[in-house]
């Protein structure tokens, strides 16, 4: 565990492979491949690989119109990894590393705002935490100011939407807009890197344009 490693959960409806470089230990609901092989990470995180997994791993249940699969060793050890030329391995590895760095940066922005929201609206008169943010409030970047305020009212059992107060709204609106722009810029960079990984892995598996369209139609939506 005390080395770089690729990690993933035992149940997933999407590619959720990531590189751990902080010596984390996992319980029995996660799996690892030791070593910091970002090329392997890029291939595992691609839609081409997820298509294979969706046809060979054990389906568990439908969640939000997507099947969840059990990503146990008996299924994962059969995932094909193409033997790419060195230049292609380096390119995919670099893109996978960009995805990791960018994903962590986006998460940091999301968490920073969540923590400020909790400290501002979710602490009682005696300093006690009121409640946790509900799902809608956690996804603050996807909400209008009015909708976020309504979510905070529900989360913390407040007497009213805090953004009804014009002074509070004037303080928070530009702050949230700035942080939303940061998160969106990181999301765009992440999406671009993921798209290039997918294109490169499709090429490694020698898929035709029509085959790629069929695969994308099944796994990306």
């Amino acid at each position: 565990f005390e080395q770089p490693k690729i990690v993933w959960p035992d149940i997933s409806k999407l590619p959720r492979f990531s590189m751990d470089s902080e010596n984390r230990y996992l319980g029995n609901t996660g799996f690892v491949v030791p070593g910091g092989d970002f090329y392997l990470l890029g291939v595992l995180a691609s839609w081409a690989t997820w298509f294979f997994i969706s046809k060979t791993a054990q389906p568990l249940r439908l969640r939000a119109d997507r099947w969840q699969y059990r990503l146990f060793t008996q299924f994962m050890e059969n995932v094909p990894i193409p033997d790419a030329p060195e230049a292609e391995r380096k390119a995919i590895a670099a893109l996978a590393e960009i995805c990791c760095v960018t994903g962590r940066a986006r998460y940091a922005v999301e968490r920073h705002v969540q923590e400020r929201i909790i400290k501002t609206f979710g602490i009682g008169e005696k300093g006690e935490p009121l409640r946790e943010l509900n799902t809608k409030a956690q996804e603050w970047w996807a909400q209008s100011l009015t909708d976020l305020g309504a979510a905070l009212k529900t989360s913390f059992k407040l007497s009213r939407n805090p953004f009804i107060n014009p002074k509070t709204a004037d303080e928070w609106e530009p702050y949230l807009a700035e942080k939303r722009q940061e998160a969106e810029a990181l999301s765009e960079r992440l999406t671009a890197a993921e798209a290039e990984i997918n294109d490169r892995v499709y090429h490694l598996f020698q898929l035709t344009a029509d085959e790629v369209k069929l695969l994308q139609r099944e796994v990306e939506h």
Side-chain angles (χ1 to χ4, degrees):
F1 287 105
E2 294 183 356
Q3 62 176 302
K5 54 191 175 293
I6 297 172
V7 299
W8 68 90
D10 71 336
I11 299 174
S12 185
K13 62 181 181 180
L14 293 166
R16 292 179 60 196
F17 301 91
S18 185
M19 184 69 71
D20 170 45
S21 57
E22 298 182 6
N23 300 339
R24 290 187 175 94
Y25 282 65
L26 276 68
N28 63 347
T29 57
F31 292 88
V32 308
V33 171
D37 188 345
F38 279 96
Y39 167 70
L40 176 59
L41 174 63
V43 174
L44 288 175
S46 70
W47 282 123
T49 295
W50 189 253
F51 177 81
F52 179 87
I53 290 171
S54 72
K55 301 303 179 186
T56 57
Q58 177 187 347
L60 179 62
R61 59 189 169 228
L62 273 172
R63 281 290 174 86
D65 296 325
R66 281 186 177 274
W67 278 99
Q68 290 183 324
Y69 296 93
R70 307 304 299 268
L71 306 188
F72 293 153
T73 301
Q74 67 196 76
F75 306 120
M76 294 302 299
E77 66 185 2
N78 294 317
V79 171
I81 306 299
D83 185 16
E86 185 62 24
E88 193 65 17
R89 294 177 70 92
K90 288 181 177 179
I92 291 174
L95 289 164
E97 193 164 5
I98 287 172
C99 288
C100 288
V101 172
T102 306
R104 285 195 292 267
R106 185 180 64 180
Y107 179 74
V109 172
E110 294 169 358
R111 282 297 303 158
H112 174 79
V113 177
Q114 290 169 1
E115 290 167 2
R116 181 174 173 185
I117 287 172
I118 292 169
K119 290 178 181 178
T120 304
F121 304 108
I123 303 297
E125 294 180 358
K126 298 180 180 179
E128 76 281 8
L130 297 178
R131 290 174 182 268
E132 295 182 355
L133 292 173
N134 62 21
T135 301
K136 196 169 185 179
Q138 288 176 9
E139 297 177 353
W140 54 266
W141 60 89
Q143 316 302 329
S144 68
L145 194 66
T146 300
D147 289 343
L148 177 58
L152 297 182
K153 178 183 175 182
T154 301
S155 295
F156 301 134
K157 305 298 181 184
L158 304 176
S159 60
R160 64 174 187 168
N161 182 327
F163 299 130
I164 289 177
N165 184 320
K167 183 177 180 180
T168 304
D170 287 346
E171 175 190 350
W172 276 82
E173 192 165 26
Y175 168 74
L176 290 171
E178 177 188 347
K179 293 302 180 183
R180 187 179 293 112
Q181 286 181 350
E182 287 183 31
E184 288 174 352
L186 291 166
S187 293
E188 289 174 3
R189 186 182 187 203
L190 182 60
T191 298
E194 289 173 338
E196 186 173 349
I197 287 175
N198 284 321
D199 287 343
R200 288 178 178 274
V201 176
Y202 293 146
H203 179 73
L204 290 179
F205 281 115
Q206 299 180 346
L207 299 181
T208 66
D210 288 339
E211 288 170 337
V212 169
K213 288 180 181 178
L214 288 171
L215 185 153
Q216 290 174 327
R217 189 181 307 151
E218 182 158 341
V219 297
E220 291 189 20
H221 306 288

Short mmCIF file of all heavy atoms in Angstrom, two decimals, residues 177-221:
data_model
loop_
_atom_site.label_atom_id
_atom_site.label_comp_id
_atom_site.label_asym_id
_atom_site.label_seq_id
_atom_site.Cartn_x
_atom_site.Cartn_y
_atom_site.Cartn_z
N ALA A 177 -19.66 32.92 -8.37
CA ALA A 177 -19.41 33.02 -9.82
C ALA A 177 -17.93 32.79 -10.12
O ALA A 177 -17.57 32.09 -11.08
CB ALA A 177 -19.86 34.38 -10.33
N GLU A 178 -17.06 33.38 -9.30
CA GLU A 178 -15.62 33.20 -9.50
C GLU A 178 -15.22 31.73 -9.34
O GLU A 178 -14.47 31.18 -10.15
CB GLU A 178 -14.86 34.07 -8.50
CG GLU A 178 -13.36 33.90 -8.55
CD GLU A 178 -12.64 34.63 -7.42
OE1 GLU A 178 -13.28 35.45 -6.74
OE2 GLU A 178 -11.44 34.36 -7.23
N LYS A 179 -15.71 31.11 -8.28
CA LYS A 179 -15.36 29.72 -8.02
C LYS A 179 -15.98 28.79 -9.05
O LYS A 179 -15.38 27.77 -9.42
CB LYS A 179 -15.79 29.32 -6.60
CG LYS A 179 -15.03 30.04 -5.50
CD LYS A 179 -13.54 29.79 -5.62
CE LYS A 179 -12.74 30.50 -4.55
NZ LYS A 179 -11.28 30.30 -4.71
N ARG A 180 -17.16 29.13 -9.54
CA ARG A 180 -17.78 28.33 -10.59
C ARG A 180 -16.95 28.38 -11.86
O ARG A 180 -16.76 27.36 -12.53
CB ARG A 180 -19.20 28.83 -10.84
CG ARG A 180 -20.01 27.94 -11.80
CD ARG A 180 -21.42 28.47 -12.00
NE ARG A 180 -22.20 28.35 -10.77
CZ ARG A 180 -22.61 29.39 -10.05
NH1 ARG A 180 -22.31 30.63 -10.43
NH2 ARG A 180 -23.32 29.19 -8.96
N GLN A 181 -16.43 29.55 -12.19
CA GLN A 181 -15.56 29.68 -13.36
C GLN A 181 -14.29 28.83 -13.21
O GLN A 181 -13.84 28.20 -14.17
CB GLN A 181 -15.19 31.14 -13.59
CG GLN A 181 -16.33 31.98 -14.15
CD GLN A 181 -15.92 33.43 -14.39
OE1 GLN A 181 -14.85 33.86 -13.97
NE2 GLN A 181 -16.77 34.19 -15.07
N GLU A 182 -13.73 28.84 -12.01
CA GLU A 182 -12.55 28.01 -11.76
C GLU A 182 -12.87 26.54 -11.98
O GLU A 182 -12.12 25.80 -12.65
CB GLU A 182 -12.05 28.21 -10.32
CG GLU A 182 -11.38 29.54 -10.06
CD GLU A 182 -10.86 29.62 -8.64
OE1 GLU A 182 -10.49 28.56 -8.08
OE2 GLU A 182 -10.81 30.73 -8.07
N ALA A 183 -13.98 26.09 -11.41
CA ALA A 183 -14.37 24.68 -11.53
C ALA A 183 -14.67 24.32 -12.98
O ALA A 183 -14.29 23.24 -13.46
CB ALA A 183 -15.59 24.40 -10.65
N GLU A 184 -15.34 25.23 -13.71
CA GLU A 184 -15.67 24.95 -15.10
C GLU A 184 -14.42 24.88 -15.98
O GLU A 184 -14.34 24.04 -16.88
CB GLU A 184 -16.63 26.03 -15.62
CG GLU A 184 -18.04 25.91 -15.05
CD GLU A 184 -18.94 27.05 -15.47
OE1 GLU A 184 -18.42 28.02 -16.08
OE2 GLU A 184 -20.15 26.99 -15.17
N ALA A 185 -13.46 25.76 -15.72
CA ALA A 185 -12.21 25.73 -16.49
C ALA A 185 -11.47 24.40 -16.27
O ALA A 185 -10.94 23.81 -17.21
CB ALA A 185 -11.33 26.90 -16.11
N LEU A 186 -11.45 23.95 -15.03
CA LEU A 186 -10.81 22.67 -14.73
C LEU A 186 -11.58 21.52 -15.36
O LEU A 186 -10.98 20.56 -15.86
CB LEU A 186 -10.70 22.49 -13.21
CG LEU A 186 -9.71 23.44 -12.52
CD1 LEU A 186 -9.91 23.43 -11.01
CD2 LEU A 186 -8.27 23.06 -12.86
N SER A 187 -12.91 21.60 -15.34
CA SER A 187 -13.73 20.56 -15.95
C SER A 187 -13.47 20.48 -17.45
O SER A 187 -13.40 19.38 -18.02
CB SER A 187 -15.22 20.83 -15.69
OG SER A 187 -15.52 20.68 -14.33
N GLU A 188 -13.34 21.63 -18.10
CA GLU A 188 -13.07 21.64 -19.53
C GLU A 188 -11.72 21.00 -19.85
O GLU A 188 -11.58 20.24 -20.81
CB GLU A 188 -13.11 23.07 -20.06
CG GLU A 188 -14.51 23.67 -20.08
CD GLU A 188 -14.52 25.14 -20.45
OE1 GLU A 188 -13.41 25.67 -20.75
OE2 GLU A 188 -15.59 25.75 -20.46
N ARG A 189 -10.72 21.32 -19.02
CA ARG A 189 -9.40 20.72 -19.24
C ARG A 189 -9.46 19.21 -19.03
O ARG A 189 -8.87 18.44 -19.80
CB ARG A 189 -8.39 21.34 -18.28
CG ARG A 189 -6.96 20.89 -18.54
CD ARG A 189 -5.98 21.48 -17.55
NE ARG A 189 -4.61 21.15 -17.94
CZ ARG A 189 -3.59 21.14 -17.11
NH1 ARG A 189 -3.75 21.47 -15.85
NH2 ARG A 189 -2.38 20.83 -17.52
N LEU A 190 -10.19 18.78 -18.01
CA LEU A 190 -10.33 17.36 -17.72
C LEU A 190 -11.06 16.65 -18.85
O LEU A 190 -10.64 15.58 -19.30
CB LEU A 190 -11.08 17.19 -16.40
CG LEU A 190 -11.30 15.76 -15.89
CD1 LEU A 190 -9.96 15.06 -15.66
CD2 LEU A 190 -12.11 15.79 -14.60
N THR A 191 -12.13 17.24 -19.33
CA THR A 191 -12.91 16.64 -20.42
C THR A 191 -12.06 16.49 -21.68
O THR A 191 -12.14 15.47 -22.37
CB THR A 191 -14.16 17.49 -20.71
OG1 THR A 191 -14.99 17.52 -19.54
CG2 THR A 191 -14.95 16.92 -21.87
N ALA A 192 -11.27 17.51 -21.99
CA ALA A 192 -10.42 17.45 -23.18
C ALA A 192 -9.38 16.34 -23.07
O ALA A 192 -9.14 15.60 -24.04
CB ALA A 192 -9.74 18.80 -23.40
N ALA A 193 -8.77 16.20 -21.90
CA ALA A 193 -7.76 15.16 -21.71
C ALA A 193 -8.40 13.78 -21.78
O ALA A 193 -7.84 12.84 -22.39
CB ALA A 193 -7.05 15.35 -20.37
N GLU A 194 -9.57 13.62 -21.18
CA GLU A 194 -10.28 12.33 -21.23
C GLU A 194 -10.66 11.97 -22.66
O GLU A 194 -10.55 10.81 -23.07
CB GLU A 194 -11.51 12.39 -20.34
CG GLU A 194 -11.20 12.43 -18.86
CD GLU A 194 -12.44 12.65 -18.01
OE1 GLU A 194 -13.45 13.17 -18.54
OE2 GLU A 194 -12.40 12.32 -16.81
N ALA A 195 -11.11 12.97 -23.42
CA ALA A 195 -11.51 12.71 -24.80
C ALA A 195 -10.31 12.25 -25.63
O ALA A 195 -10.43 11.33 -26.46
CB ALA A 195 -12.13 13.96 -25.41
N GLU A 196 -9.14 12.86 -25.41
CA GLU A 196 -7.96 12.46 -26.17
C GLU A 196 -7.51 11.05 -25.77
O GLU A 196 -7.08 10.27 -26.63
CB GLU A 196 -6.82 13.46 -25.98
CG GLU A 196 -5.63 13.15 -26.87
CD GLU A 196 -4.56 14.22 -26.84
OE1 GLU A 196 -4.80 15.32 -26.30
OE2 GLU A 196 -3.45 13.95 -27.37
N ILE A 197 -7.60 10.74 -24.48
CA ILE A 197 -7.28 9.37 -24.05
C ILE A 197 -8.18 8.38 -24.77
O ILE A 197 -7.72 7.35 -25.30
CB ILE A 197 -7.43 9.23 -22.53
CG1 ILE A 197 -6.29 9.93 -21.80
CG2 ILE A 197 -7.45 7.74 -22.13
CD1 ILE A 197 -6.43 9.94 -20.29
N ASN A 198 -9.49 8.65 -24.79
CA ASN A 198 -10.43 7.74 -25.43
C ASN A 198 -10.09 7.56 -26.90
O ASN A 198 -10.07 6.43 -27.41
CB ASN A 198 -11.85 8.27 -25.28
CG ASN A 198 -12.41 8.04 -23.90
OD1 ASN A 198 -12.17 7.00 -23.29
ND2 ASN A 198 -13.13 9.01 -23.37
N ASP A 199 -9.80 8.65 -27.60
CA ASP A 199 -9.47 8.55 -29.02
C ASP A 199 -8.21 7.70 -29.24
O ASP A 199 -8.15 6.87 -30.15
CB ASP A 199 -9.25 9.94 -29.61
CG ASP A 199 -10.56 10.72 -29.77
OD1 ASP A 199 -11.63 10.09 -29.73
OD2 ASP A 199 -10.50 11.95 -29.91
N ARG A 200 -7.21 7.91 -28.41
CA ARG A 200 -5.96 7.17 -28.55
C ARG A 200 -6.16 5.68 -28.25
O ARG A 200 -5.58 4.81 -28.93
CB ARG A 200 -4.88 7.77 -27.65
CG ARG A 200 -4.37 9.12 -28.14
CD ARG A 200 -3.33 9.70 -27.18
NE ARG A 200 -2.80 10.97 -27.66
CZ ARG A 200 -1.79 11.11 -28.50
NH1 ARG A 200 -1.18 10.03 -28.97
NH2 ARG A 200 -1.36 12.31 -28.87
N VAL A 201 -6.97 5.37 -27.25
CA VAL A 201 -7.19 3.96 -26.91
C VAL A 201 -8.05 3.28 -27.98
O VAL A 201 -7.82 2.12 -28.33
CB VAL A 201 -7.83 3.83 -25.51
CG1 VAL A 201 -8.16 2.36 -25.21
CG2 VAL A 201 -6.87 4.37 -24.45
N TYR A 202 -9.04 4.00 -28.54
CA TYR A 202 -9.79 3.44 -29.66
C TYR A 202 -8.82 3.05 -30.78
O TYR A 202 -8.96 1.98 -31.40
CB TYR A 202 -10.78 4.46 -30.22
CG TYR A 202 -11.93 4.82 -29.30
CD1 TYR A 202 -12.45 6.12 -29.30
CD2 TYR A 202 -12.50 3.87 -28.46
CE1 TYR A 202 -13.51 6.46 -28.47
CE2 TYR A 202 -13.55 4.21 -27.62
CZ TYR A 202 -14.06 5.51 -27.63
OH TYR A 202 -15.09 5.84 -26.81
N HIS A 203 -7.86 3.93 -31.06
CA HIS A 203 -6.89 3.66 -32.13
C HIS A 203 -6.04 2.43 -31.79
O HIS A 203 -5.75 1.61 -32.68
CB HIS A 203 -6.00 4.88 -32.33
CG HIS A 203 -4.96 4.71 -33.39
ND1 HIS A 203 -5.26 4.71 -34.73
CD2 HIS A 203 -3.61 4.50 -33.30
CE1 HIS A 203 -4.15 4.52 -35.43
NE2 HIS A 203 -3.14 4.40 -34.58
N LEU A 204 -5.65 2.29 -30.53
CA LEU A 204 -4.82 1.14 -30.14
C LEU A 204 -5.57 -0.18 -30.34
O LEU A 204 -4.97 -1.20 -30.66
CB LEU A 204 -4.39 1.27 -28.68
CG LEU A 204 -3.38 2.38 -28.36
CD1 LEU A 204 -3.07 2.39 -26.87
CD2 LEU A 204 -2.09 2.18 -29.16
N PHE A 205 -6.89 -0.14 -30.12
CA PHE A 205 -7.70 -1.35 -30.33
C PHE A 205 -8.15 -1.49 -31.78
O PHE A 205 -8.91 -2.40 -32.11
CB PHE A 205 -8.92 -1.34 -29.40
CG PHE A 205 -8.61 -1.73 -27.99
CD1 PHE A 205 -8.75 -0.83 -26.95
CD2 PHE A 205 -8.18 -3.02 -27.69
CE1 PHE A 205 -8.47 -1.19 -25.64
CE2 PHE A 205 -7.89 -3.39 -26.38
CZ PHE A 205 -8.03 -2.48 -25.36
N GLN A 206 -7.68 -0.59 -32.63
CA GLN A 206 -7.94 -0.63 -34.08
C GLN A 206 -9.44 -0.64 -34.38
O GLN A 206 -9.92 -1.36 -35.27
CB GLN A 206 -7.26 -1.86 -34.70
CG GLN A 206 -5.75 -1.84 -34.52
CD GLN A 206 -5.06 -3.05 -35.15
OE1 GLN A 206 -5.71 -4.03 -35.50
NE2 GLN A 206 -3.76 -2.98 -35.27
N LEU A 207 -10.19 0.17 -33.64
CA LEU A 207 -11.62 0.29 -33.89
C LEU A 207 -11.89 1.21 -35.07
O LEU A 207 -11.22 2.23 -35.23
CB LEU A 207 -12.32 0.84 -32.65
CG LEU A 207 -12.21 0.01 -31.36
CD1 LEU A 207 -12.97 0.69 -30.23
CD2 LEU A 207 -12.70 -1.40 -31.57
N THR A 208 -12.85 0.83 -35.90
CA THR A 208 -13.26 1.69 -37.01
C THR A 208 -14.14 2.83 -36.48
O THR A 208 -14.62 2.79 -35.33
CB THR A 208 -14.05 0.90 -38.05
OG1 THR A 208 -15.29 0.48 -37.46
CG2 THR A 208 -13.27 -0.32 -38.52
N ALA A 209 -14.38 3.82 -37.32
CA ALA A 209 -15.23 4.95 -36.91
C ALA A 209 -16.63 4.46 -36.56
O ALA A 209 -17.23 4.94 -35.58
CB ALA A 209 -15.28 5.98 -38.04
N ASP A 210 -17.16 3.53 -37.31
CA ASP A 210 -18.50 3.00 -37.02
C ASP A 210 -18.52 2.23 -35.70
O ASP A 210 -19.48 2.32 -34.93
CB ASP A 210 -18.98 2.10 -38.15
CG ASP A 210 -19.35 2.88 -39.40
OD1 ASP A 210 -19.61 4.10 -39.27
OD2 ASP A 210 -19.38 2.28 -40.50
N GLU A 211 -17.45 1.46 -35.45
CA GLU A 211 -17.38 0.72 -34.19
C GLU A 211 -17.30 1.67 -32.99
O GLU A 211 -17.91 1.42 -31.95
CB GLU A 211 -16.17 -0.22 -34.21
CG GLU A 211 -16.36 -1.41 -35.15
CD GLU A 211 -15.07 -2.19 -35.35
OE1 GLU A 211 -13.98 -1.63 -35.14
OE2 GLU A 211 -15.17 -3.38 -35.72
N VAL A 212 -16.55 2.76 -33.15
CA VAL A 212 -16.45 3.74 -32.08
C VAL A 212 -17.82 4.35 -31.79
O VAL A 212 -18.22 4.52 -30.64
CB VAL A 212 -15.44 4.84 -32.44
CG1 VAL A 212 -15.53 6.00 -31.45
CG2 VAL A 212 -14.03 4.27 -32.46
N LYS A 213 -18.57 4.68 -32.83
CA LYS A 213 -19.90 5.26 -32.65
C LYS A 213 -20.82 4.30 -31.91
O LYS A 213 -21.57 4.70 -31.01
CB LYS A 213 -20.51 5.63 -34.00
CG LYS A 213 -19.87 6.84 -34.66
CD LYS A 213 -20.53 7.14 -36.00
CE LYS A 213 -19.87 8.33 -36.67
NZ LYS A 213 -20.47 8.61 -38.01
N LEU A 214 -20.79 3.02 -32.27
CA LEU A 214 -21.62 2.03 -31.60
C LEU A 214 -21.23 1.89 -30.13
O LEU A 214 -22.08 1.82 -29.24
CB LEU A 214 -21.50 0.67 -32.30
CG LEU A 214 -22.17 0.55 -33.67
CD1 LEU A 214 -21.76 -0.77 -34.33
CD2 LEU A 214 -23.68 0.62 -33.53
N LEU A 215 -19.93 1.86 -29.88
CA LEU A 215 -19.43 1.73 -28.50
C LEU A 215 -19.84 2.95 -27.68
O LEU A 215 -20.35 2.81 -26.55
CB LEU A 215 -17.92 1.57 -28.54
CG LEU A 215 -17.19 1.30 -27.24
CD1 LEU A 215 -15.90 0.54 -27.52
CD2 LEU A 215 -16.85 2.58 -26.49
N GLN A 216 -19.62 4.14 -28.22
CA GLN A 216 -19.96 5.36 -27.50
C GLN A 216 -21.46 5.44 -27.19
O GLN A 216 -21.86 5.87 -26.11
CB GLN A 216 -19.53 6.58 -28.30
CG GLN A 216 -18.03 6.76 -28.39
CD GLN A 216 -17.63 7.89 -29.32
OE1 GLN A 216 -18.29 8.15 -30.31
NE2 GLN A 216 -16.54 8.56 -29.00
N ARG A 217 -22.27 5.03 -28.15
CA ARG A 217 -23.72 5.07 -27.95
C ARG A 217 -24.13 4.20 -26.77
O ARG A 217 -25.07 4.50 -26.05
CB ARG A 217 -24.42 4.60 -29.23
CG ARG A 217 -25.94 4.79 -29.22
CD ARG A 217 -26.52 4.27 -30.52
NE ARG A 217 -25.86 4.87 -31.68
CZ ARG A 217 -25.72 4.28 -32.86
NH1 ARG A 217 -26.18 3.05 -33.04
NH2 ARG A 217 -25.13 4.91 -33.84
N GLU A 218 -23.42 3.10 -26.57
CA GLU A 218 -23.79 2.19 -25.49
C GLU A 218 -23.26 2.58 -24.13
O GLU A 218 -23.94 2.43 -23.13
CB GLU A 218 -23.32 0.76 -25.84
CG GLU A 218 -23.71 -0.25 -24.77
CD GLU A 218 -23.74 -1.64 -25.32
OE1 GLU A 218 -23.81 -1.82 -26.55
OE2 GLU A 218 -23.71 -2.59 -24.52
N VAL A 219 -22.02 3.10 -24.06
CA VAL A 219 -21.41 3.30 -22.74
C VAL A 219 -21.40 4.74 -22.27
O VAL A 219 -21.30 4.99 -21.07
CB VAL A 219 -19.96 2.75 -22.72
CG1 VAL A 219 -19.95 1.27 -22.96
CG2 VAL A 219 -19.07 3.50 -23.71
N GLU A 220 -21.48 5.71 -23.17
CA GLU A 220 -21.32 7.09 -22.76
C GLU A 220 -22.64 7.76 -22.38
O GLU A 220 -22.64 8.89 -21.90
CB GLU A 220 -20.63 7.91 -23.86
CG GLU A 220 -19.17 7.54 -24.07
CD GLU A 220 -18.45 8.49 -25.00
OE1 GLU A 220 -18.94 9.61 -25.19
OE2 GLU A 220 -17.40 8.10 -25.54
N HIS A 221 -23.76 7.11 -22.61
CA HIS A 221 -25.05 7.75 -22.37
C HIS A 221 -25.93 6.86 -21.49
O HIS A 221 -25.70 5.70 -21.33
CB HIS A 221 -25.75 8.06 -23.69
CG HIS A 221 -24.90 8.87 -24.63
ND1 HIS A 221 -24.63 10.19 -24.42
CD2 HIS A 221 -24.25 8.51 -25.76
CE1 HIS A 221 -23.85 10.64 -25.40
NE2 HIS A 221 -23.60 9.65 -26.21
#
